Amino acid sequence: MEDFFGSDFSKKVPSEFIQKFPGNVELWLKREDLLHPRISGNKFRKLKYNLSEARKKSLSKLLTFGGAHSNHIAAVAAAGKKFDFKTIGIIRGEELAENPEKWSPSLRYASESGMKLEFISREEYRVKDSVAYREKLKQGFGDFYLIPEGGTNEFAIRGCAEILTKTDSEFDYICTSVGTGGTMAGILHASEEHQQILGFSALKSDYLLEEIQKMTGKTNWELILNYHFGGYAKVNADLIDFINNFYRMYQIALDPVYTGKMLFGIFELATQQFFPENSRILAIHTGGIQGIEGMNEFLRKKNWPQIIGV
Ligand SMILES: *Cc1c(COP(=O)(O)O)cnc(C)c1O
């Protein structure tokens, strides 16, 4: 059953050596972004067991939620198209319903991939997980397989555990970007005791710590809250400079919402000798490249420099 996706979900991605820092600290990058151009990195991992669960339940329709720039929405749309599911995206922001010219590249892509987009107000979006709203969705769309916002649930965590492979046990630190924490929970699940998992929060949040605690019994982890750059999807000139320099140096694109911030943090921490001598660090490139275009539209309006690499 789980194999109906063919080889896509078991594709091996390379880990590439990035650079050495003082103290003989080595940084490597696991290229999960190479899994699929649109079903980006971790969103691909999160969908695997959800899609097989939907198949098992004979549900041919996937319904999920997200904001206008959501990597998850783009991933569900792409996965639906690829694996023959109908898809419905419940999108925050009713004003977009009447103004398709204001749609982000992510929404345009989702729609072109066959996703039905339903725009709702911020008030309604806030209660989207209530029983009453679920009932309303059922009335409107019939039976569907529901995937939560951001894609995190127990099946997602199981899929993300497959990010780490046997040979990764030689690394002392595994670093990942954190939105809901589902990816980190999966990596933790697969980690070994001697490894420390560092989660770089992409949002300014005081509840994430608890959220992750709910998803894991392990203690070999730390949430790093210093590199959200003011909050979710917020950027500044230093971050854009870093992302562009990284691309010039390594020809690897980083997204500004997640992986760019994580790597900025790793570089700064390594320079400050946060990592003990001879540490080997594996950073996970969780993808998110599809979001660069939307960020660049925003930056262009502000007359800021563009992010390169796409
Ligand atoms: C969604 C996303 C994350 C965050 O994943 P969570 O499991 O929600 O913590 C990290 N990186 C990228 C590129 C993402 O799209």
Side-chain angles (χ1 to χ4, degrees):
M1 184 69 192
E2 274 150 16
D3 279 330
F4 77 91
F5 303 106
S7 59
D8 285 307
F9 279 110
S10 48
K11 191 162 128 185
K12 270 231 149 69
V13 296
S15 288
E16 291 170 12
F17 174 70
I18 298 296
Q19 76 168 63
K20 221 178 239 207
F21 294 92
N24 198 32
V25 169
E26 274 187 19
L27 173 64
W28 293 68
L29 187 63
K30 187 156 201 154
R31 300 293 309 278
E32 291 278 303
D33 56 310
L34 298 177
L35 280 172
H36 187 280
R38 287 280 178 172
I39 318 178
S40 80
N42 66 340
K43 298 305 184 286
F44 197 87
R45 299 284 183 190
K46 287 173 147 190
L47 283 173
K48 174 179 174 181
Y49 292 107
N50 275 297
L51 297 191
S52 51
E53 191 63 17
R55 278 279 147 95
K56 230 180 268 174
K57 293 187 161 145
S58 301
L59 293 168
S60 59
K61 214 183 281 169
L62 309 173
L63 182 143
T64 195
F65 308 90
H69 297 278
S70 166
N71 290 332
H72 168 66
I73 287 289
V76 172
K81 186 174 176 193
K82 190 171 168 73
F83 301 116
D84 266 333
F85 290 95
K86 292 201 179 75
T87 53
I88 301 159
I90 310 291
I91 310 298
R92 184 177 52 225
E94 60 194 336
E95 69 284 357
L96 292 168
E98 307 292 311
N99 299 298
E101 75 283 358
K102 288 193 181 147
W103 288 7
S104 65
S106 309
L107 291 183
R108 291 200 295 268
Y109 170 78
S111 175
E112 280 157 21
S113 304
M115 180 177 259
K116 181 173 164 39
L117 300 176
E118 176 92 356
F119 297 93
I120 63 174
S121 67
R122 281 153 184 84
E123 294 76 53
E124 208 165 19
Y125 197 85
R126 231 170 279 134
V127 298
K128 67 184 183 310
D129 298 321
S130 67
V131 176
Y133 192 71
R134 275 299 142 78
E135 208 38 55
K136 190 174 162 187
L137 289 174
K138 262 229 154 92
Q139 306 268 318
F141 298 108
D143 279 339
F144 51 77
Y145 182 85
L146 187 137
I147 305 175
E149 178 181 34
T152 290
N153 58 15
E154 60 177 303
F155 299 108
I157 294 171
R158 206 204 300 175
C160 288
E162 295 176 358
I163 292 174
L164 286 191
T165 53
K166 261 212 159 60
T167 51
D168 296 332
S169 64
E170 62 191 67
F171 288 97
D172 307 300
Y173 289 88
I174 315 286
C175 299
T176 187
S177 174
V178 175
T180 63
T183 304
M184 180 163 178
I187 290 172
L188 263 164
H189 186 80
S191 70
E192 295 185 19
E193 245 170 73
H194 69 90
Q195 296 181 306
Q196 184 72 3
I197 314 305
L198 302 183
F200 288 76
S201 179
L203 23 116
K204 202 154 106 184
S205 152
D206 31 26
Y207 63 84
L208 250 185
L209 207 64
E210 274 171 52
E211 287 300 306
I212 296 168
Q213 265 157 358
K214 276 186 224 158
M215 290 187 273
T216 184
K218 296 212 176 181
T219 55
N220 56 327
W221 59 280
E222 190 178 333
L223 190 62
I224 298 195
L225 291 156
N226 298 340
Y227 297 102
H228 55 62
F229 288 78
Y232 185 72
K234 298 255 181 357
V235 297
N236 67 19
D238 286 348
L239 179 67
I240 296 171
D241 258 2
F242 175 83
I243 289 171
N244 287 345
N245 285 334
F246 193 91
Y247 183 76
R248 287 187 198 105
M249 196 77 186
Y250 306 109
Q251 276 73 55
I252 299 172
L254 302 176
D255 87 293
V257 179
Y258 296 103
T259 56
K261 292 181 179 180
M262 169 190 68
L263 277 153
F264 186 103
I266 295 171
F267 270 61
E268 188 167 284
L269 290 175
T271 313
Q272 296 167 349
Q273 283 159 21
F274 168 92
F275 302 101
E277 263 181 36
N278 306 317
S279 295
R280 301 192 72 207
I281 308 163
L282 180 66
I284 311 297
H285 192 318
T286 41
I289 300 309
Q290 75 89 27
I292 295 178
E293 202 186 332
M295 180 61 81
N296 274 342
E297 282 188 1
F298 168 82
L299 295 173
R300 212 173 294 131
K301 284 187 203 139
K302 298 201 126 198
N303 270 325
W304 280 29
Q306 296 279 288
I307 293 167
I308 59 172
V310 285

